[in-house]
Amino acid sequence: MSVTYQNDLKHPVFKVLAEYATVHQLDVYVIGGWVRDLLMGRPSKDIDILVVGDGPALASAVAAKLRVKKVSIFKNFGTAHFRYKDLDIEFVGARKESYLPNSRKPQTHQGSLEDDQHRRDFTINSMAISLRHETFGVLIDPFNGQKDLEAGLIRTPLEPSITFSDDPLRMLRAIRFATRFDFQITRPCLEAMKDQADRINILSQERITDELNKIIATHEPSRGFKLLQATGLLAHFFPELTALQGIETRDGKAHKDNFYHTLEVLDNLSRNSDHLWLRWAALLHDIAKPPTKRFDPQIGWTFHGHEELGAKMVPKIFKRLRLPLDQPMKYVQKLVRLHLRPIALVKGSVTDAAIRRLLHEAGDDIEDLMLLCNADITSKNEFKVKRYKQNFELVSEKLKMVEQKDRVRNFQPPVSGQLIMDTFQIGPCAAIGQIKSHIKDAILEGHIANDYQQAVEEMLRIAPTLGLKVQQAPPMPE
Ligand code: ATP
Ligand code: MG
């Protein structure tokens, strides 16, 4: 008999499934991602179970045997799901599908294992392993998924244009798997994706963004973005990013291609951080370069203010892409706005005051900002990169020193509004804000230390200029 995967099916879930399938004469398989990951030697916690028959009924029966109480049943889809320990187990009845042109939602009918494998997205995702006693552990691989897995190929089981037109999400999935596994998409599939790219417009933005985030989360996201660009998919949902592509030359002066630069920055960053929103900040850091691009005959190409305009573009992009508008959006916006600041320090002379200002504005995101800036140092000129990186280290060191000395990261003014009101016997008014911001500036500029006594002295010193008189001396430490 051919190779079987019996030894990989030792988990109690498979045992219970196999017993149940045998007693009830059911054809039951584990199929899709779990099988693919097993063959790739990548452990997986998502198990898809296929039964020729009623998926939810099988799920309920197996859950009862495993003493799992909560089973989610999706009647309309004929699927069911439960968690068992750290596993996510999904049950589905074998289906045959037919699609209508305007929808991702197919009409489904009961089908055989083979029908079901035909409707799967890629050959590497359509392999099944039998769980029935007589054939326990046998791989059923009608489209040579195993061979494609070894060759590193993403290929559709059916004619690609049909597969992609039926469900355009598969185009994004193709790119996601190609990126995640470092696989190639076969030429006919790529051609079909180019032809069918505009079908992506029938997808909901949430589905598109979900795939996009998965591509961004891979080890080398640039591969995915290059594919999105080459197939024409990116332009449909992210025109600001495609607008970054291209080089213009005037008077013999060329600017760099900001699309590829952005991707290089994203890859650089991804080598050092898995943080999804920091990766988004890398993707968007230069997003306003096209609308701020100018040519100055004296200095060449400039992109003045692209960090400010970029920060302004972030909410619109997040809204359209249905990304979270609360903390993540604000975080990305802040990093886009500040992304040039550490670099400016690297290029120029580094004063303590400039460092304090930066620390104050970045707050707890300073380390992330530094990661972004480090990733942003790209150039074809190795010497330049080396010099920048050395200066960058210097700025990092200095940041640490100033932070220890002055504690300005999450700056709390040492003088409170209440103290100002008590000292001058005034109610809430503009003068309070003026005093506070004056003290803050004095500390950040290094005129006084970040300390109560010096702050109070400074307050008393400038009070007369604001027309204020001391009515009650503020408490001073011994
Ligand atoms: P992941 O590791 O990301 O979970 P996966 O291959 O398991 O990858 P799922 O989205 O969990 O992907 O889907 C499970 C299986 O269902 C796939 O392996 C594939 O066989 C099938 N599948 C999922 N989405 C589609 C789709 N849009 N079209 C066809 N088949 C699909
Ligand atoms: Mg899965």
Side-chain angles (χ1 to χ4, degrees):
M1 203 171 180
S2 56
V3 203
T4 81
Y5 292 89
Q6 283 182 20
N7 291 338
D8 301 293
L9 301 170
K10 293 242 158 85
H11 198 286
V13 166
F14 294 123
K15 211 172 141 236
V16 168
L17 271 162
E19 276 166 13
Y20 189 87
T22 309
V23 171
H24 294 268
Q25 295 282 300
L26 286 173
D27 282 330
V28 178
Y29 306 88
V30 51
I31 192 164
W34 191 88
V35 177
R36 176 200 69 217
D37 289 347
L38 171 71
L39 268 56
M40 292 180 87
R42 296 167 69 108
S44 163
K45 304 275 175 217
D46 280 8
I47 303 181
D48 290 289
I49 300 296
L50 181 83
V51 55
V52 181
D54 187 339
L58 177 66
S60 304
V62 171
K65 284 206 184 293
L66 291 168
R67 296 180 196 284
V68 170
K69 298 224 166 53
K70 191 166 168 274
V71 183
S72 318
I73 293 182
F74 308 94
K75 266 227 172 83
N76 293 347
F77 297 98
T79 63
H81 165 265
F82 63 77
R83 280 192 69 89
Y84 179 70
K85 304 203 166 148
D86 59 343
L87 300 178
D88 264 313
I89 312 174
E90 181 99 27
F91 290 79
V92 57
R95 283 182 291 198
K96 205 177 169 153
E97 291 182 346
S98 47
Y99 286 83
L100 300 170
N102 299 324
S103 162
R104 265 195 78 212
K105 300 203 178 60
Q107 292 182 318
T108 57
H109 328 271
Q110 255 212 16
S112 62
L113 166 69
E114 206 188 327
D115 291 331
D116 200 281
Q117 286 176 303
H118 272 95
R119 71 171 189 89
R120 302 236 157 210
D121 49 5
F122 308 113
T123 59
I124 59 166
N125 284 350
S126 57
M127 295 179 277
I129 295 177
S130 171
L131 296 179
R132 205 172 140 151
H133 182 69
E134 302 86 330
T135 48
F136 191 72
V138 172
L139 179 73
I140 301 140
D141 179 16
F143 309 111
N144 289 318
Q146 196 171 15
K147 229 168 127 195
D148 284 345
L149 208 54
E150 278 157 20
L153 289 177
I154 306 289
R155 184 203 310 271
T156 54
L158 301 177
E159 223 273 292
S161 60
I162 298 173
T163 302
F164 293 135
S165 170
D166 279 352
D167 178 2
L169 191 72
R170 293 167 182 162
M171 297 189 275
L172 298 174
R173 288 174 59 89
I175 293 176
R176 169 176 32 124
F177 291 120
T179 310
R180 187 196 285 173
F181 301 140
D182 284 322
F183 280 16
Q184 300 292 327
I185 301 174
T186 62
R187 187 140 291 283
C189 282
L190 268 180
E191 291 306 320
M193 286 161 75
K194 285 182 194 160
D195 289 344
Q196 306 284 335
D198 59 0
R199 292 281 294 157
I200 165 176
N201 294 325
I202 67 163
L203 298 177
S204 75
Q205 186 57 54
E206 285 80 356
R207 299 300 302 268
I208 296 175
T209 298
D210 195 41
E211 286 299 328
L212 187 64
N213 277 338
K214 287 180 178 167
I215 292 169
I216 293 175
T218 59
H219 62 291
E220 200 183 335
S222 66
R223 296 194 65 232
F225 280 96
K226 285 175 191 163
L227 286 165
L228 286 169
Q229 175 79 324
T231 50
L233 286 161
L234 194 61
H236 285 284
F237 62 92
F238 216 151
E240 298 89 344
L241 212 53
T242 50
L244 290 171
Q245 197 182 16
I247 296 173
E248 206 175 328
T249 311
R250 228 188 268 182
D251 299 351
K253 288 179 184 153
H255 63 74
K256 62 180 158 193
D257 185 309
N258 288 306
F259 183 69
Y260 294 105
H261 164 70
T262 293
L263 296 186
E264 208 182 326
V265 176
L266 179 58
D267 280 353
N268 284 345
L269 180 93
S270 301
R271 276 192 284 279
N272 293 318
S273 171
D274 289 336
H275 188 327
L276 178 67
W277 304 115
L278 182 51
R279 289 181 177 205
W280 266 100
L283 190 63
L284 296 180
H285 78 286
D286 276 349
I287 201 69
K289 275 200 168 170
T292 54
K293 180 166 113 174
R294 301 281 177 275
F295 185 77
D296 179 324
Q298 308 300 323
I299 40 179
W301 295 101
T302 67
F303 304 91
H304 286 311
H306 75 272
E307 69 284 16
E308 275 302 327
L309 184 64
K312 282 212 186 92
M313 289 168 72
V314 169
K316 284 189 202 143
I317 292 172
F318 264 56
K319 195 160 177 215
R320 194 186 70 232
L321 297 182
R322 304 268 195 280
L323 288 163
L325 294 174
D326 46 358
Q327 203 40 44
M329 192 277 281
K330 292 191 183 117
Y331 166 88
V332 171
Q333 194 173 34
K334 177 171 166 186
L335 292 188
V336 171
R337 178 176 289 121
L338 295 178
H339 83 269
L340 291 177
R341 294 279 293 280
I343 289 297
L345 292 182
V346 169
K347 286 183 183 165
S349 60
V350 196
T351 64
D352 280 15
I355 295 260
R356 273 193 295 269
R357 287 231 166 254
L358 182 60
L359 264 172
H360 172 59
E361 281 177 61
D364 278 340
D365 299 320
I366 186 73
E367 280 87 9
D368 291 357
L369 179 64
M370 292 301 279
L371 280 173
L372 173 60
C373 287
N374 194 18
D376 197 10
I377 303 175
T378 72
S379 166
K380 293 212 168 59
N381 181 338
E382 268 180 49
F383 175 73
K384 232 171 152 181
V385 169
K386 205 169 160 204
R387 203 186 67 217
Y388 279 180
K389 293 246 170 186
Q390 277 168 357
N391 288 358
F392 185 84
E393 280 310 309
L394 221 87
V395 173
S396 303
E397 283 307 309
K398 200 125 197 198
L399 268 166
K400 279 190 206 123
M401 274 167 47
V402 171
E403 163 71 0
Q404 271 181 1
K405 191 157 60 87
D406 301 337
R407 299 163 288 116
V408 287
R409 176 189 292 238
N410 287 311
F411 181 84
Q412 292 298 328
V415 164
S416 72
Q418 191 59 49
L419 184 90
I420 300 170
M421 292 196 279
D422 292 347
T423 306
F424 305 107
Q425 294 292 308
I426 51 174
C429 63
I432 299 170
Q434 286 165 343
I435 292 179
K436 276 182 151 179
S437 87
H438 174 88
I439 290 174
K440 185 184 91 185
D441 287 341
I443 292 171
L444 294 178
E445 288 305 319
H447 302 318
I448 61 171
N450 184 9
D451 128 329
Y452 174 80
Q453 185 161 348
Q454 291 195 34
V456 167
E457 281 163 11
E458 183 66 12
M459 169 179 84
L460 298 176
R461 195 180 69 75
I462 62 146
T465 66
L466 295 166
L468 298 174
K469 266 208 198 101
V470 178
Q471 307 289 342
Q472 179 187 313
M476 281 295 194
E478 298 292 297

